[in-house]
Amino acid sequence: MLISPAAGDAQREVRFDDDGPLSEAGLRRARAVAGNLPSAGRVVVSPSARCRRTAEELGLPTDPAPEPGPPGCAMGRWRGRPLAEVAAAEAEAVSAWLSDPGFAGHGGESLRALCGRTEDWLTRLAATSGRIVAVVEVDVVRAAVVAALRLPEEAFWRLDVPPLTVTELSGRGGRWNLGLGRALPQG
């Protein structure tokens, strides 16, 4: 079960994430669904403050500390900047970022690299059994779907993952089944 984190200020302000805090509305939503997740043999949490805080607010076990999950895409010099500002200053670069999975001209990670390391992570998870609950960044959820369904990397931009939703991957032998965007039940 891949759970997208609660909303932070970066989403509301339409800017590249800078590991800022959750918004008050995001905190309220996470608290409203706390305690309603099925039990899991393993809990995995991406290292961002947003994912860690979401896991905490959802009441996921923290002792022992959750297994570290993959970080979101490194955005280099665009980190924390509003999308409109970057698009105005670097229109060609933003266009390349949206159309070329190998683009890393922002000084960060390419979409191709994100999808590759996420696929490696999924392969390691598939080698184990039991339910895993993972609170991971939205771009990791998208990359996991691309990898699991063997979609072209360009499909990444066509996958909408709202905050605090569940994307379920199940299967064996490298063949995944997908359950998308189920809202977390409220208590």
Side-chain angles (χ1 to χ4, degrees):
M1 294 180 68
L2 305 174
I3 300 173
S4 57
D9 292 334
Q11 291 76 40
R12 185 177 44 80
E13 297 167 3
V14 191
R15 62 180 163 83
F16 292 96
D17 192 48
D18 59 357
D19 201 18
L22 296 178
S23 66
E24 284 302 316
L27 283 168
R28 281 191 303 275
R29 276 202 63 218
R31 290 174 186 144
V33 298
N36 290 314
L37 295 174
S39 62
R42 288 168 60 192
V43 175
V44 176
V45 180
S46 286
S48 71
R50 189 168 65 152
C51 287
R52 289 191 320 269
R53 183 70 188 269
T54 296
E56 178 184 303
E57 295 298 333
L58 290 174
L60 293 173
T62 57
D63 188 27
E67 180 180 329
C73 193
M75 294 310 300
R77 71 176 181 279
W78 293 355
R79 184 174 189 227
R81 293 177 59 195
L83 177 59
E85 174 188 301
V86 174
E90 302 181 52
E92 287 181 26
V94 170
S95 179
W97 173 62
L98 292 170
S99 62
D100 176 6
F103 175 82
H106 47 59
E109 181 178 34
S110 73
L111 178 60
R112 180 166 291 132
L114 170 67
C115 289
R117 71 177 167 81
T118 303
E119 182 174 14
D120 291 345
W121 175 67
L122 278 179
T123 299
R124 289 190 305 275
L125 289 182
T128 64
S129 62
R131 178 178 285 136
I132 299 168
V133 171
V135 179
V136 295
E137 294 293 345
V138 167
D139 51 357
V140 173
V141 175
R142 288 175 171 169
V145 171
V146 166
L149 297 183
R150 296 184 180 109
L151 298 172
E153 292 158 342
E154 294 80 3
F156 178 94
W157 296 115
R158 302 293 177 240
L159 301 171
D160 291 329
V161 181
L164 285 177
T165 54
V166 175
T167 300
E168 295 181 84
L169 294 174
S170 61
R172 292 273 181 244
R175 184 176 178 150
W176 294 98
N177 297 316
L178 175 67
L180 277 177
R182 183 169 53 89
L184 292 170
Q186 294 193 19

